[in-house]
Amino acid sequence: MFKTLLHTILIVGLLILSIPSAIAQQCNLQIKGIVVDSHDDTPLEASSVLILENNLTVFSNSKGQFELKDLCEGTYTLYFEHIGCKPLEYKVDLNKDTTSLTIELEHHIEALDEVTVASKSYLAVSDSGVEKRIESVAIKQNSSLQLADIVSKISGVTSLSTGNAISKPIINGLHSSRVMIVNNGVRMEDQEWGSEHAPNMDVNTASSITVVKGANALQYGGDAIGGIILAEPEKIAFKDSIYGRSIVGTETNGRAAFINSALIYSKKNGLQAKLQSSYKKQGDVQTPDYYLTNSANEHKNLSAYIAKKTTHKGISSYFSYVNSTIGILSASHIGDASDLYRALNADRPATLTDFSYQINAPRQEVDHLLLKINAYSIVRDKGKLLLQFDYQNNHRLEYDLRIGDQKNIAALDLKLLSESLSLDYHSYRSNGFQFKSGILGKYQFNYSNPDTGVKRLIPDYVKLHGGVYGIADYELEDKSAFEFGLRFDYIDLKSYKFYQKSRWEDRGYDQLFSDFVISESENQVLTKPELQFPSLTATLGYHAHFGSNTNLAANITRSKRAPNPAELFSDGLHHSASRIELGDLSFNQETSTKLSVAIEHQSNSTSLSIQPFYNAIKDFIFLRPLEVTQTIRGFFQVWSYEQTKAELYGLDLDFRQKLTNSIEYSSQFSWVHATDLDKNEALISIPPLQFNNELSLSDHNGNQFGIQSSYVGKQNRYPDYNFNIYIPKDNQWKLIDISSTPKAYHLLGLFANLNLSTQSSLSIRVNNLLNTSYRNYLNAMRYFSDEMGRTITIQYKINY
């Protein structure tokens, strides 16, 4: 039945896409013009000109001139952008050729991340939500970083880490399955449930990265109760051209080297192609006092894109392959109770060695393959119809410390296959109204290899997912607007799983799920769980403009998130996390009600954004440490998934001030307060207060120099999950303190971005300038080691 639904979407979509060509108008009109600097009329080369109605993009030439061809009669909204200039929208009523259009762009405050409140531009994902965007320039200047490290430069966004090379984003205190990552229009499916499972995407494939704080962007899904990270590809102009760029660099800490190259080909007839690849190798990184043994890592990426587009229809395909091999700190695997006690109370890890590039066990090896094919068509100039199919194959291997014949056999071997098909319609604005709607079908199969010789952490399962949504907004004459959206999703999850009979009965499953039992033996129960999760998500928003400089956005969203397979089925040792994890088959869906408000004021020299939020989550799922246990593989903590009623609220602030024409000051502040209401205690792993500052100097050649300051407070609100263990060697019971949080810390950094010529640039970054020793509460390795010491990154970029 489900495959029938997928086929139906495909057939209907193809039929509808074929209609416009049969009823097409005569479209031979054109718009010609020039883009200049509003201050001195200097032509602005490489300005992007985007038609919002059909996403057609061209770029101005060396004289600032641009040309849009093969247009139908109608009203078009042109969106002009140039580096260092304030974007501009311009409407054109086209009934004959327009050949003398002059567009003036004004230089304004240049920001790393742009806060988009109630934006009506093509950048907006949700009209009433708060969005922040990291631009292409900033991504290229930080090309060696991971996704979580780049987006953590945005207020309200931090990262959850397992060592130096594994990190995933936290938005307003929420992470993992609650944060959706959309890469080039595809929702990533890469075992994101693991706290030490980093997103499998290379930031160098993105031209911009947008963060949406909340689940209000319903076109991508209704379960992202933390937020959405949207990585968008580079826009390619309709012109005859072939060009490229390469970035090469090194990092002193870990003696790392990296390279990223891209080659772009385009034709005036709409043929486009892009080939991109990157590579990074890093050895053991160093704290101020010692090397972190087995912290080396290696990352590879290859992506390709090809498309044929016109102003009214087009088809494209995208391919991406990511491979990562990441060492896990050797000291995190403990032999016995006395080793654990010593590790938690020592100033440095028990295992210390000299620098090495070798990646030994414990380690992760992850492959992720993504393939996307999509097509679009403009339907009678009323809107755009989009049909998309995507395929993902994620293969995760986690290696433990093993000997003999099993030394090179992974202890965890998971393969996740995902296929989805979607059909969407985006209308153009008419009489104040605009709407989006769509339908989705997804098939997912997880294979957990039983030949590892280890009890499987999660079982084989099949997940079927269907969804439909509609979003409408109405814009008033004063440019204020209301937005309303609904989305319905239905998930059907089937699995085969063995349970220990004692655990099956201790958790009451023999009474609750007796119909799941297929067979029983003396010690085990074979089950076939079949679970269904219907959910309805609704969002209501409002945005308004007060004068020319102040905007207000408010949004309330009620959404649900189904428990992920790890939360339901986990039952064993999670090797990369160095702990035993236990799920719960009886979990309900999480239900979130989030209110977000954003007030933004911006003038020629000042920018201020205030963003408070409140999020009440019923049946919130979290991991709680219970005890420690001895296994044949070592001494491990036992963590159990639990549900509670949670409350999170907080505040994000962004401020920028242009002190002179060349000097700018900026600051960011983030604070989250999270409580387990059932137990009246703090939630675990909530980001502490953060306060970042930057002072930068720019010259007339575009060179930039700056100093950065980052203060992270001590998290004083945390639950007490400490316990006592018996140390046979000392014949004593001793306290295992896994709850206390690290001290506050303050880091300084320097950066310089130098334009060597019109085709090349040099970027230099110094992190942890004073080589400060500290530990990060949100790093799982904080129990065993300090964070990285001073790191100098140098990278050279050349365009060709």
Side-chain angles (χ1 to χ4, degrees), residues 311-353:
T311 55
H312 280 69
K313 59 185 176 181
I315 186 169
S316 66
S317 63
Y318 174 75
F319 163 86
S320 172
Y321 172 74
V322 175
N323 171 266
S324 299
T325 303
I326 303 171
I328 307 297
L329 183 68
S330 295
S332 65
H333 280 233
I334 302 299
D336 56 29
S338 60
D339 288 344
L340 176 62
Y341 179 79
R342 182 173 58 251
L344 294 179
N345 291 276
D347 293 331
R348 56 180 58 205
T351 304
L352 291 176
T353 60

Side-chain angles (χ1 to χ4, degrees), residues 52-63:
L52 297 185
E53 285 73 17
N54 60 20
N55 273 357
L56 171 65
T57 303
V58 299
F59 291 85
S60 60
N61 61 21
S62 60
K63 298 180 180 179

Side-chain angles (χ1 to χ4, degrees), residues 622-625 639 682-686 718-719 721 738 777 783:
F622 68 103
L623 262 173
R624 173 178 179 167
W639 292 56
L683 286 176
I684 193 172
S685 299
I686 297 299
Y718 57 88
Y721 292 148
I738 60 171
Y777 174 54
Y783 297 115

Side-chain angles (χ1 to χ4, degrees), residues 9-156:
I9 296 175
L10 178 61
I11 293 171
V12 171
L14 289 174
L15 287 174
I16 297 177
L17 287 172
S18 66
I19 292 174
S21 60
I23 56 176
Q25 313 175 41
Q26 292 296 318
C27 301
N28 52 15
L29 300 179
Q30 60 182 336
I31 300 174
K32 292 182 178 180
I34 184 173
V35 185
V36 299
D37 189 312
S38 62
H39 298 290
D40 55 14
D41 290 332
T42 301
L44 296 178
E45 182 182 3
S47 299
S48 67
V49 186
L50 169 71
I51 300 179
L52 297 185
E53 285 73 17
N54 60 20
N55 273 357
L56 171 65
T57 303
V58 299
F59 291 85
S60 60
N61 61 21
S62 60
K63 298 180 180 179
Q65 299 167 337
F66 68 91
E67 182 179 10
L68 297 162
K69 299 165 51 174
D70 300 326
L71 300 176
C72 305
E73 288 189 18
T75 300
Y76 293 94
T77 306
L78 307 185
Y79 188 87
F80 295 86
E81 271 192 310
H82 188 271
I83 295 174
C85 295
K86 184 176 181 179
L88 176 70
E89 282 188 15
Y90 189 91
K91 286 191 178 293
V92 177
D93 292 320
L94 191 66
N95 50 34
K96 62 179 181 179
D97 289 344
T98 299
T99 58
S100 58
L101 190 63
T102 300
I103 299 297
E104 297 182 350
L105 297 183
E106 180 181 3
H107 282 274
H108 72 305
I109 294 177
E110 186 64 26
L112 169 69
D113 52 281
E114 171 186 324
V115 181
T116 307
V117 182
S119 170
K120 301 309 299 176
S121 75
Y122 79 102
L123 304 178
V125 178
S126 167
D127 288 333
S128 60
V130 179
E131 302 171 18
K132 288 189 172 186
R133 191 173 70 151
I134 296 178
E135 304 287 356
S136 175
V137 172
I139 295 173
K140 291 180 176 63
Q141 290 173 350
N142 296 273
S143 65
S144 66
L145 297 183
Q146 300 180 64
L147 174 66
D149 297 324
I150 284 187
V151 297
S152 63
K153 298 177 182 296
I154 292 174
S155 64

Side-chain angles (χ1 to χ4, degrees), residues 225 534-536 557-562 588-594 615-621 643-646:
I225 64 179
S535 64
L536 181 67
T557 301
R558 185 174 176 84
S559 57
K560 287 192 173 185
R561 182 186 73 89
N588 299 316
Q589 296 189 81
E590 290 182 340
T591 302
S592 165
T593 303
K594 183 173 184 180
N615 197 351
I617 307 177
K618 180 183 177 183
D619 295 318
F620 178 79
I621 302 173
Q643 279 196 310
T644 190
K645 184 178 181 181

Side-chain angles (χ1 to χ4, degrees), residues 95 100 103 125 138 208 273 301 309 357 442 444 536 538 562 720 779:
N95 50 34
S100 58
I103 299 297
V125 178
S208 66
N301 167 257
K309 296 181 177 181
Y357 283 106
K442 179 176 289 187
Q444 197 169 77
L536 181 67
D720 183 358
N779 188 340

Side-chain angles (χ1 to χ4, degrees), residues 512-532:
L512 294 172
F513 306 112
S514 58
D515 54 326
F516 289 172
V517 176
I518 296 176
S519 63
E520 295 186 49
S521 63
E522 182 177 351
N523 299 316
Q524 288 189 318
V525 180
L526 176 60
T527 67
K528 184 183 179 182
E530 297 186 11
L531 303 169
Q532 290 78 39

